[in-house]
Amino acid sequence: MSRILMVISGADSMTLADGSTHPTGYWAEEVAASHEVLRAAGVEVDIATPGGVRPTVDALSLDERGGVSESDARRFRAYLDSIAQRLDAPLAVADVRIGDYDAIYLPGGHAPMADLADDRDLGELLNAATAEGKTVAALCHGVAALLSATKEDGGFTFAGRSLTSFTDEEERQGGLGDNAPYLVESRLRERGAVVETGPAWQSVVVEDGNLITGQNPQSSKDTAERVLKALRG
């Protein structure tokens, strides 16, 4: 049986560009839909956060104000409730050994921008996974977590690699706009990644070797399914 480490942000707030504090957390669909696809295929999924803190779901990801229908919100909430025991007691990222896993999976919500993007322990895991050719998957704002991985010279580990992320257009249409701490797509380009984007709010998955990335919440299931295909390959 394959085993995947799902690393979820532990942040419940973030500082915006104007200096104000904004509540945040992981995006319900990205955790629930991804986890459901992986577990349905028989994959063992362990959850980890920085410091082993219980992750917080972004309230907007279960609300029509966040573009989520009432029926979808009920479905995501029900699935998250079904894995509450794992969410309540996650592993600490610093305690994880990459040798125990076949892949790392990084769901989003704005929260990864607040902690995972600068987490040294995660960066070391991503570097080790890449060195061993293990699958690294990231979704939406979770792609910002890849920024934690740097080379000895300070360069970005994933510079030159093709990937996608929540786009600047999507951030301005339905996210925090220019009040975001930074724009994930732009930051990845600045660090040397080759960012490939599709139409806003449509599923887009980009695969480059061991790296699999999804553009937005709508890409959750397709990203997880692409990870399964890579593991079976």
Side-chain angles (χ1 to χ4, degrees):
M1 179 188 294
S2 297
R3 194 176 181 192
I4 291 178
L5 181 71
M6 180 177 284
V7 180
I8 303 176
S9 169
D12 60 7
S13 66
M14 64 192 306
T15 302
L16 301 183
D18 64 6
S20 64
T21 300
H22 180 75
T24 190
Y26 68 85
W27 201 256
E29 179 176 4
E30 296 176 36
V31 171
S34 299
H35 194 283
E36 186 173 25
V37 167
L38 298 171
R39 286 297 295 136
V43 174
E44 180 66 25
V45 182
D46 288 344
I47 292 173
T49 64
V53 302
R54 186 186 187 284
T56 299
V57 64
D58 190 324
L60 284 177
S61 68
L62 294 169
D63 194 291
E64 292 183 351
R65 293 174 300 160
V68 182
S69 70
E70 184 177 346
S71 60
D72 283 344
R74 282 198 304 268
R75 181 162 51 90
F76 299 146
R77 188 180 291 108
Y79 189 82
L80 294 174
D81 287 344
S82 76
I83 60 170
Q85 188 173 358
R86 290 180 176 268
L87 289 168
D88 287 345
L91 302 171
V93 173
D95 296 336
V96 172
R97 297 186 309 168
I98 193 59
D100 294 334
Y101 297 94
D102 301 294
I104 297 177
Y105 198 101
L106 302 157
H110 283 98
M113 300 171 69
D115 60 355
L116 296 185
D118 301 307
D119 191 285
R120 290 186 179 182
D121 295 316
L122 176 58
E124 291 177 2
L125 281 178
L126 293 173
N127 281 339
T130 298
E132 296 180 21
K134 296 189 175 185
T135 298
V136 173
L139 180 61
C140 198
H141 289 89
V143 185
L146 299 180
L147 294 166
S148 65
T150 57
K151 302 175 182 178
E152 289 186 2
D153 63 4
F156 181 35
T157 297
F158 299 99
R161 303 290 296 277
S162 295
L163 52 78
T164 191
S165 74
F166 197 68
T167 67
D168 294 356
E169 178 186 1
E170 287 168 323
E171 193 70 74
R172 292 183 173 117
Q173 284 186 9
L176 296 171
D178 290 330
N179 204 22
Y182 54 88
L183 297 173
V184 177
E185 177 192 346
S186 291
R187 180 64 58 86
L188 289 164
R189 291 186 191 279
E190 290 167 4
R191 295 291 284 155
V194 180
V195 184
E196 301 176 4
T197 63
W201 316 114
Q202 294 187 30
S203 179
V204 177
V205 181
V206 173
E207 186 170 357
D208 181 356
N210 72 310
L211 181 63
I212 299 172
T213 50
Q215 180 171 305
N216 44 35
Q218 291 77 13
S219 309
S220 299
K221 289 182 65 176
D222 288 343
T223 301
E225 288 170 355
R226 193 73 67 90
V227 169
L228 290 175
K229 183 178 179 181
L231 293 176
R232 292 165 179 159

